[in-house]
RNA sequence: GCCGCCAUAGCUCAGUCGGUAGAGCGGCUGAUUUGUAAUCAGCAGGUCGGGAGUUCGAUUCUCUCUGGCGGCUCCA
C-alpha cells in the first residue's frame, strides 16, 4: 500500500496521487490538451524529468518551450542528440560539454576537425534517433562506476572529480549513447524533431598550446514548424545584411588591397556626412570644441599613455627617420597633449574636446566583418576634462543625449556597466565611488542595463551601449568611460579655486560609436529604407514621356534649390520600370509628372511603403519633404 | 590569429568526370514615348582571385599565397 502525496498544481488545485507517480503523468491528467508541449517539470521549483517519481507533497508545474528553463532543457537535450550523432559517426570523438545558450546550444568535442561529410552523417544519425523515439533514461550511479564508464574521456572524468562528494552522479542513456549529465531532459528524442545544426568550428583553446576543441552549434524547437519559421526569419535577416544592402545601394565597398579599410562611395559618404552633421549640431549646443590631432605619434606618446604596453598588438607602426611611430588607435593621447599644453584653471572645466579623426587598429584578420569591424574607423569621439564633482552632471547629460539620439534612430539599446578589473590602477575607493555613480545614473535612465563585474578598462569603469544587428548579434556602439589614469600619466593639472593644483578626471565618450559600425547596424535596422534625412536620394521625379522631361527637370531644380537631394529619371525606360527601380532602391518619395500634372502644376507622389498615391502641388511637396527632413522624421 | 568552407562577366549564379566558358540582371546601341513594381531587339564584357606543381594540355587535380564567409578569441 503506497502512501498518497498532495500535489499543488499551477492553477491552485491540489491532487492526491500515490507516492512514486511520475510527475509527467500527473500533469498530463491535469492538462491533457497541452500535455504534448510539456518538456519537463518543476517539483518544488526544481527542474526534473517528466518521469521523475513524486516522493512527497509539494508544488508542481510543467515546463514548456515558453519557459526559459524549459527552452534550455530542450536545447540541452538537442546537444545530447548531437553528441550521440557525433559519437556514432566518429567513435573516437570525446564529448566534453554541451550547454544551452541564448540562441540555442553547442557541444564541444575533442576530435579531429569536422568535415561537411561528417555533418551529413551526424544529421542522418540524429534523424534516425528522432524517428526511433529513443527515451532519455536517467540513472544515478556510483562515483566508481562513473569513473569506469568515462575512463576514456578525461573531460568527463574532470567533471566527475569536480562534483562535490555528497552529490549524486547521474547519467542519461539515449539509445546506446550515455552521457554524464545532471539533467533534466525531454522524455524522448521525438521531442527534438525541430533540431537544426547551425555550423561547426574549432574553438580557441583556453590555455595556449592546448589542442582546440571542435564545436557544433545548433538550435532546437519543439516542432519542425517552429524550426521552419525560425529559418525563414534567418533568411529574412540575411537579406538585410548591411554588406548586401551596401552593395545594392552603392554605399561602400572593400577591396583585396585594403582588407578592413572601408571605401566609402558617394551614397555612403552622404550618409556619413549627415550623421556627422547631426552629431556636430549637438556638440555646438552642448559646449564642445572640436580639435584635430595627428594621426601618427612617436612611440614615446604611447609608452606614456600605456598603449604601447597594453595595446601593442593592435597598433599599426611606421618607421620615420629611424624613429618608431604608430598610427593612433584612439584620440585620447592627442587630447591629453592639448590639455597639458599650458596651465589650466578650474574655470575652464568641464573642458570638452571633440575629435572625429580616422583611427587605425590592427584587428586580427579573422575578426573583420563588413563595416561592423574594420581596421580604419572614425568615432564621434570626445574627451571631457572634469572635476570629481562634475562627473555626475556631465554623465547625466550624456545619457540624455544617448536617449535622444537612439530614439531618433528608433534603435533599441541597452547599457553594460563594466566594473573594476582584477588588475587596476588607482585607489579602490575612487573606483567604488565612480561605479556607484554610474550605476545610479543607469538606474535613473530607466533603460535596461547589466553589470559586467571585472570587465572595466584598467584605467576606469565604463558604460557601453549595445545594439543588435539583423542576426541578433549584439554590437557595442557608444561608450562612456571614466579615466583616472591618463591624467596621471600625462601629469595633467588644473588650478582650483583653492589655489591648489588638482588632477582632472577624463570622460572618454562616443555616442554613435563609429560611423562604420553605426551605419552597418542602422542599415540592418532600417533594411535599407533610410529615413528621409539620411536617404542618399530623397526625391526622384519621373516624367511620364519625353515631352514632360523639361518640366520635370525644372521641378528637380526647385527641389534641389530647397536643399533636397532630388534627381530626375528620364523617359529612356518605361514608367513602370522606373517605378520598380525606385521602389527597389527604397527611395522615400517618387514624383510622377505627366500631362495631368503639367496642366495643374502638381505632382503625383508615391510615398515609400504606402500603396495609394497622393497628388500635391509642387510647393506642397517641397514643403512636406523639407519639413520631414529638417525634423529628422524616421518614416516617409 | 585559430578551425572549416568559399573565390567563374559590374551583380546573382550555372558549367567543364582535365581539351581555355554560359544565363539572368546591369551596361552600351537602336526601335518604342510609355500613367504607378520589369517594352522589344542587337552588341560589348571573362588570362575562371595570384603564384607554383602534376599533365601533351589546368578554370577543373595538388600545394601555396591573398581575400571573403561562418564560428572561436577580441572588440567601437
Amino acid at each position: 500500500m503506497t502512501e498518497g502525496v498532495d500535489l499543488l498544481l499551477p492553477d491552485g488545485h491540489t491532487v492526491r496521487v500515490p507516492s512514486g507517480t511520475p510527475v509527467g503523468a500527473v500533469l498530463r491528467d491535469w492538462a491533457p490538451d497541452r500535455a504534448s508541449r510539456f518538456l519537463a517539470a518543476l517539483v518544488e521549483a526544481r527542474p526534473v524529468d517528466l518521469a521523475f517519481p513524486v516522493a512527497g507533497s509539494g508544488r508542481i508545474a510543467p515546463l514548456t518551450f515558453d519557459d526559459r528553463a524549459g527552452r534550455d532543457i530542450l536545447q540541452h537535450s538537442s546537444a545530447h542528440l548531437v553528441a550521440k550523432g557525433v559519437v556514432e559517426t566518429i567513435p573516437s570523438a570525446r564529448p566534453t560539454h554541451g550547454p544551452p545558450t541564448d540562441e540555442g546550444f553547442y557541444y564541444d568535442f575533442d576530435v579531429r576537425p569536422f568535415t561537411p561529410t561528417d555533418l551529413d552523417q551526424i544529421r542522418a544519425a540524429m534523424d534516425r534517433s528522432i524517428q526511433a523515439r529513443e527515451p532519455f533514461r536517467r540513472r544515478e550511479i556510483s562515483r566508481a562506476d562513473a569513473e569506469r564508464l568515462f575512463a576514456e574521456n578525461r573531460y568527463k572524468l574532470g567533471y566527475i572529480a569536480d562534483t562535490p562528494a555528497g552529490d549524486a552522479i547521474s547519467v542519461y542513456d539515449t539509445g546506446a549513447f550515455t552521457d554524464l549529465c545532471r539533467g533534466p531532459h525531454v522524455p524522448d528524442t521525438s521531442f527534438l524533431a525541430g533540431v537544426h545544426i547551425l555550423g561547426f568550428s574549432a574553438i580557441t583553446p583556453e590555455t595556449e598550446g592546448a589542442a582546440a576543441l571542435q564545436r557544433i552549434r545548433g538550435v532546437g524547437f519543439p516542432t519542425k514548424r517552429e524550426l521552419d519559421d525560425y529559418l525563414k526569419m534567418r533568411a529574412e535577416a540575411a537579406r538585410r545584411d548591411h554588406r548586401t544592402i551596401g552593395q545594392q545601394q552603392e554605399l561602400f565597398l572593400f577591396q583585396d588591397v585594403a582588407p578592413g579599410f572601408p571605401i566609402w562611395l558617394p551614397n555612403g559618404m552622404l550618409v556619413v556626412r549627415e550623421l556627422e552633421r547631426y552629431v556636430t549640431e549637438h556638440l555646438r549646443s552642448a559646449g564642445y570644441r572640436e580639435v584635430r590631432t595627428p594621426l601618427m605619434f612617436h612611440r614615446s606618446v604611447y609608452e606614456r599613455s600605456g598603449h604601447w604596453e597594453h595595446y601593442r598588438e593592435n597598433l599599426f607602426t611606421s618607421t620615420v627617420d629611424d624613429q618608431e611611430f604608430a598610427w593612433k588607435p584612439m584620440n585620447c593621447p592627442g587630447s591629453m597633449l592639448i590639455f597639458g599644453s599650458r596651465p589650466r584653471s578650474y574655470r575652464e572645466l568641464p573642458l570638452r574636446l571633440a575629435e572625429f579623426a580616422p583611427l587605425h587598429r590592427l584587428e586580427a584578420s579573422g575578426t573583420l566583418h563588413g563595416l561592423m569591424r574594420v581596421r580604419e574607423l572614425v568615432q564621434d569621439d570626445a574627451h571631457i576634462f572634469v572635476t570629481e564633482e562634475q562627473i555626475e552632471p556631465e554623465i547625466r547629460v550624456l545619457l540624455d543625449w544617448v536617449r535622444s539620439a537612439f530614439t531618433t534612430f528608433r534603435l533599441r539599446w541597452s547599457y553594460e556597466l563594466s566594473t573594476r578589473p582584477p588588475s587596476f590602477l588607482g585607489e579602490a575607493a575612487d573606483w567604488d565611488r565612480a561605479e556607484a555613480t554610474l550605476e545610479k545614473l543607469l538606474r535613473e535612465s530607466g533603460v535596461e542595463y547589466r553589470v559586467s563585474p571585472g570587465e572595466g578598462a584598467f584605467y576606469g569603469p565604463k558604460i557601453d551601449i549595445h545594439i543588435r544587428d539583423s542576426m541578433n548579434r549584439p554590437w557595442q556602439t557608444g561608450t562612456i568611460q571614466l579615466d583616472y589614469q591618463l591624467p596621471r600619466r600625462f601629469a595633467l593639472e588644473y588650478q582650483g579655486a583653492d589655489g591648489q593644483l588638482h588632477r582632472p578626471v577624463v570622460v572618454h565618450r562616443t555616442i554613435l560609436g563609429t560611423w562604420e559600425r553605426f551605419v552597418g547596424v542602422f542599415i540592418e535596422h532600417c533594411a535599407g529604407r533610410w529615413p528621409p534625412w539620411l536617404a542618399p536620394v530623397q526625391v526622384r521625379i519621373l516624367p511620364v514621356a519625353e515631352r514632360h522631361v523639361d518640366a520635370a527637370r525644372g521641378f528637380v531644380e526647385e527641389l534641389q534649390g530647397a536643399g533636397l537631394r532630388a534627381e530626375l529619371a528620364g523617359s529612356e525606360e518605361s514608367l513602370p520600370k522606373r517605378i520598380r527601380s525606385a521602389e527597389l532602391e527604397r527611395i522615400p518619395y517618387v514624383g510622377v509628372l505627366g500631362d495631368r500634372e503639367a496642366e495643374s502644376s502638381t505632382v503625383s507622389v508615391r510615398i515609400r511603403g504606402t500603396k495609394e498615391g497622393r497628388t500635391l502641388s509642387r510647393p506642397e511637396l517641397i514643403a512636406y519633404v523639407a519639413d520631414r527632413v529638417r525634423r529628422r522624421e524616421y518614416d516617409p
Side-chain angles (χ1 to χ4, degrees), chain A residues 384-450:
Chain A
I384 310 174
F385 298 84
V386 292
T387 67
E388 191 79 31
E389 301 76 53
Q390 288 168 339
I391 292 174
E392 183 171 332
E394 198 63 30
I395 288 178
R396 184 174 287 121
V397 167
L398 289 174
L399 292 177
D400 282 348
W401 167 227
V402 169
R403 171 183 298 278
S404 153
F406 284 73
T407 304
T408 298
F409 292 105
R410 288 203 199 161
L411 286 162
R412 280 196 25 238
W413 74 102
S414 63
Y415 293 118
E416 177 180 1
L417 172 62
S418 298
T419 62
R420 189 167 72 225
S423 101
F424 61 96
L425 295 173
E427 297 301 318
D430 289 340
W431 278 82
D432 289 343
R433 198 166 56 248
E435 287 169 9
T437 303
L438 293 182
E439 183 151 18
K440 182 182 104 181
L441 292 168
L442 285 181
R443 243 192 329 270
E444 279 176 20
S445 79
V447 175
E448 178 197 338
Y449 74 94
R450 67 188 179 90

Side-chain angles (χ1 to χ4, degrees), chain A residues 44 66 222 395 410 548 613:
Chain A
E44 287 293 277
D66 302 323
I395 288 178
R410 288 203 199 161
H548 310 116

Side-chain angles (χ1 to χ4, degrees), chain A residues 339 342-351 385-387 389-390 493-502 504:
Chain A
F339 189 95
R342 65 163 170 80
R344 298 283 173 179
S345 155
Y346 73 97
R347 295 177 199 276
E348 295 181 71
L349 306 186
L351 180 68
F385 298 84
V386 292
T387 67
E389 301 76 53
Q390 288 168 339
E493 290 172 330
Y494 65 90
Q495 193 162 24
D498 57 4
Q500 302 296 305
L501 289 176
H502 301 272

Side-chain angles (χ1 to χ4, degrees), chain A residues 215-515:
Chain A
R215 173 169 298 180
I216 292 185
R217 294 182 316 117
V219 61
F221 290 92
T223 60
K224 187 79 172 46
R225 233 190 84 109
E226 283 157 285
L227 169 64
D228 289 343
D229 289 345
Y230 169 80
L231 293 176
K232 240 176 268 166
M233 189 269 289
R234 270 179 74 94
E236 164 55 30
R239 269 191 290 279
R240 48 167 72 199
D241 189 306
H242 77 281
R243 292 164 298 191
T244 309
I245 292 175
Q247 182 176 280
Q248 288 165 349
Q249 300 193 351
E250 297 197 24
L251 300 167
F252 60 86
L253 54 84
F254 289 89
Q255 297 209 340
D256 289 2
V257 289
F261 292 76
I263 296 174
W264 288 102
L265 299 172
N267 288 341
M269 200 56 213
L270 227 147
V271 171
V272 170
R273 286 294 187 220
E274 285 293 346
L275 291 172
E276 241 171 39
R277 202 150 65 93
Y278 173 63
V279 171
T280 309
E281 278 173 20
H282 171 265
L283 291 185
R284 259 200 301 277
S285 61
Y288 286 78
R289 313 292 307 279
E290 260 197 272
V291 297
R292 183 73 136 207
T293 68
L295 296 189
M296 194 185 251
F297 283 104
H298 190 270
R299 71 178 265 185
S300 60
V301 170
Y302 303 105
E303 284 168 351
R304 190 160 203 192
S305 68
H307 286 98
W308 200 261
E309 191 187 344
H310 294 279
Y311 206 72
R312 180 76 183 84
E313 66 281 9
N314 280 322
L315 292 178
F316 278 97
T317 54
S318 286
T319 300
V320 182
D321 290 342
D322 290 331
Q323 298 284 313
E324 202 163 10
F325 281 71
W327 296 84
K328 67 175 170 186
M330 300 169 191
N331 290 310
C332 8
S335 289
M336 299 303 131
L337 294 176
I338 290 176
F339 189 95
S341 63
R342 65 163 170 80
R344 298 283 173 179
S345 155
Y346 73 97
R347 295 177 199 276
E348 295 181 71
L349 306 186
L351 180 68
R352 307 181 184 89
L353 300 180
E355 178 168 12
F356 300 173
L359 305 176
H360 293 82
R361 300 180 182 180
L362 183 49
E363 301 292 352
S365 58
T367 65
L368 301 178
H369 182 93
L371 285 181
M372 303 297 204
R373 195 171 171 83
V374 294
R375 286 176 168 171
E376 184 184 74
L377 51 101
V378 181
Q379 295 179 318
D380 60 331
D381 202 6
H383 294 88
I384 310 174
F385 298 84
V386 292
T387 67
E388 191 79 31
E389 301 76 53
Q390 288 168 339
I391 292 174
E392 183 171 332
E394 198 63 30
I395 288 178
R396 184 174 287 121
V397 167
L398 289 174
L399 292 177
D400 282 348
W401 167 227
V402 169
R403 171 183 298 278
S404 153
F406 284 73
T407 304
T408 298
F409 292 105
R410 288 203 199 161
L411 286 162
R412 280 196 25 238
W413 74 102
S414 63
Y415 293 118
E416 177 180 1
L417 172 62
S418 298
T419 62
R420 189 167 72 225
S423 101
F424 61 96
L425 295 173
E427 297 301 318
D430 289 340
W431 278 82
D432 289 343
R433 198 166 56 248
E435 287 169 9
T437 303
L438 293 182
E439 183 151 18
K440 182 182 104 181
L441 292 168
L442 285 181
R443 243 192 329 270
E444 279 176 20
S445 79
V447 175
E448 178 197 338
Y449 74 94
R450 67 188 179 90
V451 179
S452 294
E455 293 296 312
F458 64 94
Y459 49 77
K462 57 176 185 162
I463 294 173
D464 292 327
I465 301 161
H466 295 269
I467 47 187
R468 287 174 181 271
D469 71 10
S470 61
M471 298 304 274
N472 205 33
R473 287 176 290 218
W475 293 99
Q476 182 186 329
T477 56
T479 182
I480 299 173
Q481 310 186 348
L482 281 180
D483 182 357
Y484 295 90
Q485 288 315 310
L486 280 182
R488 195 173 63 88
R489 284 171 169 267
F490 282 83
L492 303 185
E493 290 172 330
Y494 65 90
Q495 193 162 24
D498 57 4
Q500 302 296 305
L501 289 176
H502 301 272
R503 182 137 291 160
V505 178
V506 167
V507 179
H508 305 244
R509 109 288 177 284
T510 66
I511 304 299
L512 303 186
T514 70
W515 305 135

Side-chain angles (χ1 to χ4, degrees), chain A residues 542-553 568-575 578 592-595 597-598:
Chain A
L542 317 182
V544 171
E546 187 66 45
R547 63 182 177 281
H548 310 116
V549 168
D550 284 344
R553 182 173 294 122
L568 178 78
S571 64
E572 300 82 13
E573 282 166 329
S574 72
L575 186 63
R578 284 174 285 154
V592 175
L593 215 155
D595 287 335
E597 292 78 10

Side-chain angles (χ1 to χ4, degrees), chain A residues 15 36 43 72 161 278 307 432 457 485 487 587:
Chain A
V15 289
S36 66
V43 172
D72 283 353
Y278 173 63
H307 286 98
D432 289 343
Q485 288 315 310
I587 292 174

